[in-house]
Structures are given as C-alpha cells and as structure tokens.
C-alpha cells in the first residue's frame, strides 16, 4: 500500500484517534473507509447532475420526445 503525508485539524485528529471505539483496527483503515465513502458520494452527485442535465434537455426538445416515443413503440409495458 502507498503512503502519503497529510495535514489535519486538531478535531479531525481527535476523531481519528477514536478508531478502535469506532470498530477499526487502526487509523489508516478508518481514513480509507472515510475516503471510499466520500468517493462514492462524489460519484453519486456526478450521476445526479448528469441526470438533471439530460432531463432538462429532454424537456426542452420536442423532437427528442417524438424520437423516444417512436423508439419504444411496440415494446411491452
């Protein structure tokens, strides 16, 4: 595993030092899990923003609505 040096605020250090109370074997596993959860949150936000853009485009373009209706014609509901 690669190591890196980071700077944290005092309240963050205090929280990380409670790693065993929070069920982690060490400080690194707590930070890795927190970063992974943050990564997932960022990805979800990107998907939400992308979906909003597509929804706006769809709402504004009647040709796209017609194309979609034509494309799903005959598909089971």
């Amino acid at each position: 595993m690669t190591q890196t040096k980071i700077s944290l605020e005092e309240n963050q250090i205090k929280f990380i030092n409670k790693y065993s109370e929070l069920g982690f074997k060490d400080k690194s596993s707590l930070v890795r899990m927190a970063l992974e959860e943050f990564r997932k949150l960022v990805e979800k936000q990107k998907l939400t923003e992308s979906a909003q853009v597509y929804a706006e485009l769809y709402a504004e373009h009647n040709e796209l609505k017609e194309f979609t209706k034509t494309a799903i014609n005959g598909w089971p509901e």
Side-chain angles (χ1 to χ4, degrees), residues 11-69:
N11 63 335
Q12 295 165 330
I13 297 285
K14 287 178 182 177
F15 180 77
I16 289 173
N17 284 334
K18 295 179 182 180
Y19 68 91
S20 64
E21 294 173 39
L22 299 168
F24 294 92
K25 67 177 185 171
D26 55 32
K27 296 173 190 177
S28 294
S29 59
L30 183 150
V31 172
R32 283 193 300 271
M33 194 275 312
L35 286 172
E36 181 60 21
E37 290 301 315
F38 181 69
R39 185 194 64 77
K40 290 176 185 178
L41 176 65
V42 169
E43 289 298 316
K44 185 177 178 181
Q45 288 174 340
K46 286 181 186 178
L47 286 172
T48 300
E49 290 170 8
S50 176
Q52 288 172 340
V53 169
Y54 280 111
E56 289 170 10
L57 287 172
Y58 184 79
E60 295 171 0
H61 291 87
N62 290 327
E63 289 178 20
L64 185 55
K65 290 178 185 177
E66 287 301 317
F67 176 74
T68 304
K69 286 179 188 176

